[in-house]
Amino acid sequence: MSLNDRSKKILDELVSNPSITSTALEKKYNVTRRQLGYSFNKINDWLMSKNLPVIERTRQGHFIINQSVFTRLNGEEKSVPVDTSLLSENQRVHLIIMMLLSYKEELSLSHFTIELDVSKNTVLSDLKQVQNYLSDYDLIIRYSRKSGYLIEGKEFQVRKLLIHVTYQLLQMNNGKNRIKELTSIQRENVNEFTKRIEKVENKLNLKFTDEKMETMPYVLILLLRRIEKGNEIDSFSIEYEELSDTKEYLATEEILYDFKEIPVAERLFITLHLLTTNVYSSEFLIEESIPNLVPATDNMLRLFEKSACIYLQDRELLMDKLLQHIKPAYYRIKYQLTGTVTIQDSLSKEFKELHHLVKRSIGPLVDLIGNEIPESETTYITMLIGGWMTRQGDSIDKKVKAIVVCPQGVSVSKLMFNELRELFPEFIFLDSLSVREFLSYKLEYDIVFSPTFLETEKTLFISRAFLGREEKYRLRKQVMLELHGYIPNDINVTHLIDIINNYAVIENKKALTEELHMYINRDEASSVKQDVDLKDINLDELITQQNITVRSSVKTWDEAIRVSAQPLVESGKINPEYVEAMINQYDKDPYIVIGPNIAIPHAAPEEGVNEVGMSLLRLKEGINFTADYSINLVIVIAAVDKQQHIHALMQLMKLSGSEKDRNRMINADSIKEIHNIIQSYSID
């Protein structure tokens, strides 16, 4: 650490003239008693950092200096390093906020000018920035002659601000001493709370991160001071049982064992602070208070692996690392306490791509918590996963990155995206975009798939939205020849073995040959020629006359799904729980509406599908799906896998694109007439 210019001059004066008094120092250097005290504390902290005895000050204003200080400073260290760094505007803003939150006396402009050593005009400008800062917390600054400058607003928001600013100040050079000086927190008090937190670590069998360990004593001391002054927490929506049953609540009781008058709401808030604090390691991390956290995290990771085309090694260890972050993040996000961690904006290209894939995979956590995941939290998750990939030598930087650009609407675009991702499992598909979105797309990519020509410097492959089996084969062959100059199954494995044998010892040539055959042929076998012997199922074979229901109207969307699905339930193709799953899913699926007046409710096969099937409900009078959509045709889809229903679905998509035939179905007089229209789209 180093000393600022004023503190250095005062130390030099004390060493050269130890008989000088406090009053004489104040007069000589034109400082107030408070400013002198501030410099005196800085000098003692600096001396302790050099393993030198501190300078004592008597009640009469005289100083007692140990001989070793004179010897050291007059000998080998004649020049004391000076802290010449000026406070930035952001640092001054944080210091002003800390003063507003913790000062024991009324604050005027002169208090700020003295502490920050700047002019009144600078302070007035800083106060405007403080108000801008406070607006994010729904807080304001108020000034009166009687009370000086104050922060006003809900105490819960004040606490969030206090925690955040404490963290920011501790990141500053000499931040601990600045906080102690501003708040008059004594070293002994900090040490006492540090010991209490260390006991909590032992009780909970965990280790808090170093930065949180440094921050928590100051936060707890300042929170308790506000409570003692009567600034109690507002009522906030936390169920008592949700926190009182946690180990952290018991730990809070241990921290506050000698504070008898702390209200229950305050104990819950401090418990919440412990729950939201990042940990470095933990033996017993997950408990019944978040019963679905593990499967939600696991599902998120599986979605990421699929999107990034990778397999994460040592998956259980990575899960432990993620859960150590996600458990406290769960409470931060749920109770809007995020914002204490600052992530730098200068991110590498590959990191931005990883971050994009993580955000696309985060849905299971969003569903669990019930809130959107803030950018700072997804960024940290990306850092954990990215670090793990680097450790195992994996990277997405060398993988082919593709986008799908489709002008035919979100549903067609999504279907095209999924089909191409199945056809090219070794590519990373970043997004399905409209043409307008494509024109302003920021992420790096290598190739573009689109049913229409686009102006682009990247490699463009023109592909129809709906591909037959032979068309898929031709497209895959075209893409592989363009990118790699070969088609995977054209590689001669025998020649490949000979090449490997020239540079390495092959212990089991037969096993290696078999593995290479499986690897080289895997893409075409799984993506192009899969189920060659299976006959495509046409739309009219799934939507039979027995699976069509005609009604004038229904009262609710739930009823529409139940009525449409009833033929499939009666025939045993789906179980009743599949119907409930569709009802629960519809508002979360933006691709359920595939065209004007037509929707395709569906759920996952494992939620109650026994056999592939489709059923149709025709409503003369449409049912409102949203403010923008009125639905007349409800087609329930029951898929057992990713393949069998696709051919019929493509035919249905073509039908949905015809306004004339949609209207004919809506106005049809009989089930047979509706089925005749379906049959006209059921031709290969």
Side-chain angles (χ1 to χ4, degrees), residues 97-112:
I97 291 172
M98 181 55 73
M99 291 175 69
L100 289 166
L101 291 173
S102 61
Y103 239 53
K104 294 182 178 179
E105 55 189 273
E106 293 77 18
L107 287 167
S108 64
L109 278 180
S110 61
H111 286 91
F112 299 128

Side-chain angles (χ1 to χ4, degrees), residues 549-557 559-561 563-564 617-624 630-634 666:
T549 306
V550 173
R551 288 275 189 95
S552 295
S553 65
V554 292
K555 293 181 179 178
T556 65
W557 177 250
E559 184 185 355
I561 293 178
V563 172
S564 180
L617 167 65
R618 194 289 309 273
L619 299 169
K620 273 274 191 188
E621 214 178 286
I623 180 70
N624 288 332
S630 176
I631 302 299
N632 296 82
L633 301 170
V634 182
I666 292 169

Side-chain angles (χ1 to χ4, degrees), residues 270-286:
I270 294 173
T271 299
L272 188 58
H273 181 60
L274 288 180
L275 284 164
T276 59
T277 299
N278 286 338
V279 298
Y280 176 74
S281 65
S282 172
E283 292 181 20
F284 306 105
L285 185 66
I286 305 303

Side-chain angles (χ1 to χ4, degrees), residues 235-266:
S235 58
F236 59 109
S237 58
I238 297 178
E239 295 292 335
Y240 173 79
E241 293 77 11
E242 184 175 10
L243 301 187
S244 62
D245 292 338
T246 63
K247 290 181 180 179
E248 284 79 0
Y249 187 79
L250 298 176
T252 299
E253 295 296 287
E254 191 162 309
I255 291 175
L256 304 176
Y257 73 91
D258 53 350
F259 291 83
K260 304 301 182 185
E261 302 301 322
I262 307 295
V264 171
E266 297 292 354

Side-chain angles (χ1 to χ4, degrees), residues 405-471:
V405 181
C406 183
Q408 295 174 253
V410 66
S411 301
V412 177
S413 177
K414 182 66 174 178
L415 285 168
M416 185 177 177
F417 181 88
N418 288 334
E419 284 290 288
L420 289 170
R421 189 161 69 172
E422 292 291 327
L423 185 59
F424 298 98
E426 60 274 81
F427 294 175
I428 294 175
F429 281 83
L430 294 169
D431 273 306
S432 58
L433 308 166
S434 67
V435 175
R436 282 180 296 173
E437 289 171 330
F438 166 70
L439 294 175
S440 59
Y441 195 64
K442 302 297 184 185
L443 291 178
E444 289 290 324
Y445 55 91
D446 303 301
I447 59 177
V448 185
F449 291 97
S450 178
T452 185
F453 178 78
L454 300 168
E455 287 286 348
T456 176
E457 295 177 357
K458 303 294 184 181
T459 305
L460 172 66
F461 293 99
I462 302 295
S463 167
R464 292 198 308 123
F466 312 119
L467 296 173
R469 185 167 285 114
E470 287 302 316
E471 289 172 312

Side-chain angles (χ1 to χ4, degrees), residues 199-250:
K199 287 183 180 179
V200 166
E201 286 186 316
N202 294 330
K203 190 176 185 70
L204 298 181
N205 294 301
L206 55 77
K207 293 290 181 186
F208 294 116
T209 58
D210 291 343
E211 63 181 13
K212 293 300 182 182
M213 195 65 189
E214 286 190 355
T215 308
M216 287 172 67
Y218 294 92
V219 168
L220 290 171
I221 292 167
L222 294 171
L223 287 178
L224 289 168
R225 285 187 180 179
R226 291 193 65 82
I227 295 168
E228 290 171 1
K229 288 176 66 176
N231 296 307
E232 293 185 3
I233 197 77
D234 317 81
S235 58
F236 59 109
S237 58
I238 297 178
E239 295 292 335
Y240 173 79
E241 293 77 11
E242 184 175 10
L243 301 187
S244 62
D245 292 338
T246 63
K247 290 181 180 179
E248 284 79 0
Y249 187 79
L250 298 176

Side-chain angles (χ1 to χ4, degrees), residues 73 150 195 296 312 362 412 467 482 506 521 523 587 600 636:
L73 296 186
L150 296 170
K195 289 177 183 176
L312 292 164
I362 210 77
V412 177
L467 296 173
E482 177 75 25
I506 302 175
N521 294 316
D523 296 322
D587 61 341
I600 51 170
V636 166

Side-chain angles (χ1 to χ4, degrees), residues 6 10 21-40 57 63 103 105 110-117 181:
R6 185 173 67 194
I10 291 172
T21 64
S22 296
T23 304
L25 278 173
E26 290 169 13
K27 186 173 181 180
K28 182 171 183 176
Y29 292 101
N30 191 30
V31 295
T32 64
R33 181 181 299 177
R34 185 177 181 83
Q35 287 173 320
L36 179 61
Y38 179 73
S39 291
F40 187 68
R57 181 165 55 171
F63 299 94
Y103 239 53
E105 55 189 273
S110 61
H111 286 91
F112 299 128
T113 58
I114 291 169
E115 288 292 351
L116 303 177
D117 198 18
E181 173 64 20

